Amino acid sequence: MARQDPLRNMRYRLEIDGIDQAGFAEVAIGDLSNEPIEYREGDEITTVRKLNGLTKYANITLKWGITDSLDLADWHQLVVDDATPLDDARRNVVIRIQNEAGDDKAAFEITKAWPCKYDPTDLNGKGNEVAIDTLELCNEGIKRIQ
């Protein structure tokens, strides 16, 4: 059997419904958790049963260097505008992890994502860094699909 080395975390790309964004400097995929419910009936032994409870999906954080593209800022503005229903701002996002050759090897699907926080870059006249914007996405599901 051929050896399978782990994928590196530096080659990835995102697909966001209707938004063509070239690349991101950093993508933080939030954790998935199920809150256990402890349950015991009076006639059972003194051990508490644990049942599955609410499933929670942490937010996804995207960081990218500012360009002249307004796609992500406009997406956040859909949520800010009271005239737009939230369902119109929800998007499906796929994060694809690539091998050294650029082939897609693993993927995560984020469902019903919408921007809940937009953090524009800080500016510094004496700085020497790239201007980075941050967008945080609330979501209703994170699933490994590949």
Side-chain angles (χ1 to χ4, degrees):
M1 175 177 243
R3 182 173 120 173
Q4 287 190 348
D5 291 329
L7 297 169
R8 299 177 188 205
N9 68 352
M10 63 185 180
R11 294 204 55 154
Y12 53 89
R13 63 187 180 88
L14 268 70
E15 298 169 0
I16 303 172
D17 288 347
I19 297 176
D20 185 23
Q21 179 76 20
F24 293 89
E26 187 177 329
V27 175
I29 303 172
D31 61 341
L32 299 76
S33 63
N34 294 41
E35 291 186 4
I37 301 170
E38 294 187 352
Y39 178 77
R40 179 180 176 274
E41 293 182 359
D43 63 347
E44 294 180 331
I45 60 172
T46 58
T47 303
V48 175
R49 283 192 265 166
K50 294 195 178 187
L51 308 171
N52 61 328
L54 292 175
T55 301
K56 293 186 176 183
Y57 304 99
N59 294 345
I60 307 296
T61 304
L62 309 175
K63 294 184 179 186
W64 72 98
I66 291 181
T67 64
D68 58 353
S69 172
L70 292 174
D71 289 338
L72 294 174
D74 289 345
W75 184 22
H76 179 257
Q77 194 61 42
L78 283 175
V79 176
V80 173
D81 291 340
D82 289 335
T84 306
L86 184 58
D87 280 345
D88 291 348
R90 295 180 192 270
R91 306 274 189 271
N92 289 329
V93 178
V94 178
I95 301 168
R96 299 200 183 273
I97 303 171
Q98 301 172 324
N99 64 9
E100 288 79 11
D103 302 321
D104 295 340
K105 290 296 184 178
F108 292 90
E109 181 180 41
I110 293 86
T111 54
K112 297 183 181 177
W114 55 276
C116 56
K117 183 178 180 182
Y118 175 58
D119 184 11
T121 190
D122 294 329
L123 302 173
N124 182 347
K126 296 184 279 182
N128 193 28
E129 295 87 26
V130 171
I132 300 286
D133 276 356
T134 302
L135 190 67
E136 197 169 310
L137 305 178
C138 293
N139 65 86
E140 295 183 13
I142 301 171
K143 180 170 72 170
R144 172 89 188 261
I145 58 172
Q146 179 182 5

